[in-house]
Amino acid sequence: MKQHQFEVVVVGAGGAGLMAALYASKTASTAVISKLYPTRSHTGAAQGGIGAALGNLEEDHPEWHTYDTVKGSDYLGDQDAIEFMCEEAPSIVYELEHMGLPFSRTEDGKINQRPFGGHTNNDTGRPVTRACYAADRTGHMILQTLYQQSIKNKVTFYDEFQALDVIVTDDGVAGVVALEIATGEIHVFHAKSVIFATGGWGRVWEITSNAYAYTGDGVAITLRRGIPAQDMEFFQFHPTGIYKMGILITEGVRGEGGVLINGKGERFMEKEGYAPNVKELASRDVVSRAMYLEMKAGLGIEGKRYLYLDVTPEMVNKYATLDGRTRPDGTPYRVTSEEILSKLPDIIDFCETYLGINPVTQPMPVQPTAHYGMGGIPTDKFGQVVVDKKNKILPGLYAVGENGCVSVHGANRLGTNSLLDLVVFGKHSGLKAAEYARNSGYIPLPENPAAFAEEQLEALRNSDGDEHISDIGNEMKEVMFDHVGVFRTEEGMSKALGKIRELKVRFKNIKLDDKGSVFNMDILNAWELSNLLDIAEVTTVSALKRKESRGAHARDDYPERNDKKWMKHTLAWLKEDDVKLDYKDVVFTKFKPKKRVY
């Protein structure tokens, strides 16, 4: 067992982890543990933009952005944290620009902006250009920029190290236990502050936009240490993943004028009950449900479970004329093939590579795909982890990005707010963790700080049953996609919960072929599956209990939002044979709940 000592240790090297590490490193010795090489982190897959009310093309205000985020969250987001994020947005985008991030530009050199679903002019109700973008590879550019800055600032990186446990004592958090993938050696990182930034858990579902490495590690590790997970029933299904593959087609395609078409050749988002005002630019939960209902009614393409997203200039210009859509300067909205190609180069490349389709001349087959967890490890707006409904802080532990729950996304995240979330709260969690480290000493390590991690690995290594992790994983994904997906019912979720618990029992009877230490991906895949199974159970129990429809949690048997009973956050603790639930209040400032209209 090897030991290291840093004042701040960040687990995860995506945008949130790098932003936290960058700001922590200004005053504290800082290390980043990542199971991937940092620039392979999933932030690089974020395409369409980062939201900020710069007003570079038309009038916009942080208060409008705040209201859109509150409304998009179906009023479950904490409004103090949302206000903080949206007020910080313009300055942090300019901060990224000054770090060297190559944003797309207007003709006069300003950061360019595009419309995105759910972002509106609050006076007129019409879409507003708020998404700052770098073509359709905004996340990739953020990741590269922050990694370069972190190297410049002498952050120490431990690449291809899998975090397995957080060391928690009676006095607080003392560090992290990790496995060096190349050697199989256990490393203990003694730290004053620990920041979890391990991303999401979309691989719980069969069709997902999430990377293979997105296995909910931070949430699972903290659940096993008695820390609750918040609002896990709310998982967003992005409307436009590539059919059968889940690879994301950015919302920026719809921002550029792309339209959704059903099997009859109809543009269906304008139907009453969907989003007749903003159509394709409604919030993601609204569009995903509309797509699901179209397919359920037999209106998929050729009766199958997909629809078309059409961004061909002919279709875009046709509907721009019918909608009376104009550019911010008041001229009619028109696009050319060259303009589509310049603004969506990666999307065009994806479709040509995986589908043999050119989106400039052909529609894209799409279906809703598991995309983003609104829940996670509960925190305050500085990333400090809280462990109960009274928001008691666990000293020295922080969470940020998708594995954290501030909560600014509530029941449904607004597009572009994930990148904004990770840079705003990444910055402030890094600053807060470094401040805590300055004013605190190192908490002594237990006698064997790696005991719990080693126990987990040995149980997997010595298991000698006849179950295959691939079979268990595939059954989990299928039952979760069918019954804890876009639409949910008591009967379906009860069936899913029974299946998940059966799979957890079967998991104890797995057999691994690789018993070695060097690059043993077999044992790591099994450990990651155990994380996903725990998260699937917590998600399903939380969803079963919430008897209403709100945001991404849509129940056929309880189709209405119930503010009287369910205007509250869920807290879930993982127990030996069950999940314990409790609830805490949502924070309101100025926006009272009302029905969302699109």
Side-chain angles (χ1 to χ4, degrees), residues 224-240:
R224 290 172 192 150
R225 282 300 184 182
I227 296 164
Q230 180 173 316
D231 291 343
M232 294 295 287
E233 63 267 44
F234 299 108
F235 198 91
Q236 182 177 86
F237 281 71
H238 194 290
T240 54

Side-chain angles (χ1 to χ4, degrees), residues 57 62 110 114 162 190 206 215 243 278 328 424 433 474 568 570:
L57 289 107
K110 295 178 180 178
R114 59 166 52 122
Q162 173 67 64
H190 194 193
E206 186 175 23
T215 53
Y243 178 49
V278 294
V424 169
N474 288 337
K568 52 191 177 184
T570 303

Side-chain angles (χ1 to χ4, degrees), residues 17-59:
L18 292 177
M19 195 72 168
L22 176 60
Y23 278 89
S25 68
K26 293 177 186 294
T27 58
S29 62
T30 303
V32 174
I33 301 168
S34 175
K35 67 181 180 182
L36 303 171
Y37 187 73
T39 54
R40 288 185 57 225
S41 298
H42 197 50
T43 300
Q47 299 163 344
I50 176 171
L54 304 185
N56 282 351
L57 289 107
E58 59 182 315
E59 182 184 4

